[in-house]
Every structure is written in C-alpha cells, then in structure tokens.
Amino acid sequence: QYSFQENGWGASIAERLVRKCDVVNRGLSGYNTRWAKLILPRLISKSTGAESTVAVTIFFGANDSALKDLNPKQHVPLEEYAANLKSMIEYLKSVDVTEDRIILITPPPLQESAWEKKCLAKGDKLNRRNATTGKYAQACVQVARDCGTDVLDLWTLMQKNQDFSSYLSDGLHLSTEGNSFLAAQLWSRLEKKLSALPSLLPYWCDVDHENPEASLL
C-alpha cells in the first residue's frame, strides 16, 4: 500500500514505465496471504484485462510470519503461507496470467531492536523474529521454484550488507533506501519482460503539426 508514497518502490517502477503501461497498486497494509487469497479475484480477473497484464508481483510474508502467541490476528502458519502463495499463482494462471509473468517477493529482513522499540511504545512485546521471517522467505523461494515463477529474495539480498538497518524505517517497514533497493532489484527482473513494450503515442516532436490526425489516429 505504501509503495506509491514519495520515494516508494511502486512509484519508482511506475515512473520508469510512463507511456509504456499502467502500474496498478493493489497493496493492502497489514494483510496476510490468508486474506489476500480470498480477495485476489476481486482485484484481478479476465474482465479487468488480466490477459493484457505484463507482470504481477506478490509480496507477502512480513505479516504472516508474526509470532502466533503475540500477534494471532496477522499470523499464518508456514505451511499455509506456502499453500496460499501457490493458490494465488494458480488463480492467476486460471485468468491467463502465466507463471513467467509472476514475480514473488519475499519479506524483507526484520531489524529486531528497532521493531521492539515500536512494539514497546505501544505496550506490546516484540511480535516478530528475523529468523522466523527467514523461514517464510525460504518458503516463498521454494514456492517460486515449484511453480516456475520468478522470485526476488529480499530477505537474503538485503542481509548481504551486514548492517541492513538503513533499509528499514522502523525495523519492519521499508525506508527510502530500502524502497530504492527493492525498486532496483525488481527492475532488473522486469526490464527483460517489459523491454519490448512500445511507447504509447508518438513523442510531441514526431507529431505532424499540420495534420495531427495522421500521427495520432
């Protein structure tokens, strides 16, 4: 949901695709795969032009991996999380979005000390663990392998830089730097899929100003 905020990764991808295609944000803050699986048919269907969709990203796990005892509302068991991802992929394939146009994104790593401060400020205990989030990231990667989709393993990539705290604004959500990192990594995968897309309408300097109909109709 926040990806279209200023400096958000979604906004960055949309900017790169101006006059190529529309980037539609269907992110929902706080949601998990259990809920997303239910509403996906309302978001993408044959009637909404699924066959003309050139790419779909599925980005879940940060909420699913919340600790059951401390955050039962958002928590989804690991096996169900993987099954839900597979279910969403199968649904997309049923409306003619083929697996080569689907990109799974793992949850980012959790910076526990920063997130614990946010939790304590609300009177709560630390309700997530980075090691647990890592298991969900691994499951996401495995689903991609099993289903033949692309995958962006954000959890692993961000931790190649040992101090990954700069990628997160509060230990959980992406910072400006984290959004930029995700946009760059995602674009490296999208660019191949979208490089052949033509520009929408000619550039102004190529329009025949004496007979614009010839250029624009």
Side-chain angles (χ1 to χ4, degrees):
Q1 178 176 326
Y2 301 134
S3 69
F4 270 47
Q5 289 184 336
E6 186 176 5
N7 301 315
W9 64 270
S12 177
I13 295 297
E15 183 179 13
R16 297 176 195 229
L17 290 171
V18 167
R19 296 177 70 163
K20 294 281 188 177
C21 64
D22 295 325
V23 178
V24 180
N25 180 2
R26 290 293 180 265
L28 295 156
S29 175
Y31 273 52
N32 57 29
T33 56
R34 182 182 292 161
W35 305 341
K37 179 183 74 170
L38 295 175
I39 63 170
L40 183 58
R42 291 168 54 187
L43 306 180
I44 300 177
S45 66
K46 286 187 178 180
S47 64
T48 58
E51 72 285 348
S52 62
T53 300
V54 292
V56 174
T57 59
I58 301 177
F59 187 10
F60 286 98
N63 296 318
D64 297 68
S65 62
L67 302 178
K68 182 179 180 180
D69 293 343
L70 296 172
N71 190 347
K73 185 169 185 175
Q74 290 179 301
H75 170 80
V76 172
L78 184 60
E79 290 185 3
E80 183 188 343
Y81 167 74
N84 289 341
L85 289 177
K86 289 181 180 179
S87 176
M88 285 190 275
I89 291 169
E90 287 305 311
Y91 170 75
L92 289 171
K93 288 168 64 178
S94 77
V95 294
D96 301 328
V97 180
T98 51
E99 57 264 35
D100 59 304
R101 290 183 279 162
I102 301 169
I103 303 173
L104 300 188
I105 306 175
T106 76
L110 179 77
Q111 215 288 317
E112 291 183 10
S113 59
W115 185 242
E116 186 172 27
K117 289 180 182 177
K118 294 286 287 188
C119 293
L120 291 173
K122 296 179 180 179
D124 299 326
K125 296 180 181 179
L126 178 65
N127 58 19
R128 289 166 168 81
R129 292 285 183 183
N130 190 40
T132 303
T133 303
K135 293 178 182 178
Y136 283 71
Q138 292 169 7
C140 181
V141 170
Q142 188 59 52
V143 168
R145 288 179 183 149
D146 293 344
C147 296
T149 72
D150 202 348
V151 63
L152 172 49
D153 185 358
L154 205 57
W155 190 85
T156 298
L157 288 169
M158 282 188 166
Q159 290 183 96
K160 284 186 176 180
N161 174 0
Q162 286 187 327
D163 181 15
F164 60 88
S165 59
S166 63
Y167 292 136
L168 304 165
S169 63
D170 55 7
L172 175 66
H173 300 97
L174 297 176
S175 64
T176 296
E177 188 173 339
N179 272 281
S180 178
F181 182 86
L182 171 51
Q185 294 291 330
L186 181 57
W187 183 249
S188 70
R189 290 156 174 78
L190 283 173
E191 194 171 16
K192 301 170 188 175
K193 302 177 189 294
L194 307 180
S195 59
L197 284 178
S199 292
L200 177 66
L201 296 173
Y203 290 104
W204 72 269
C205 55
D206 296 325
V207 175
D208 182 347
H209 67 284
E210 293 183 346
N211 183 19
E213 291 84 357
S215 301
L216 303 177
L217 298 180

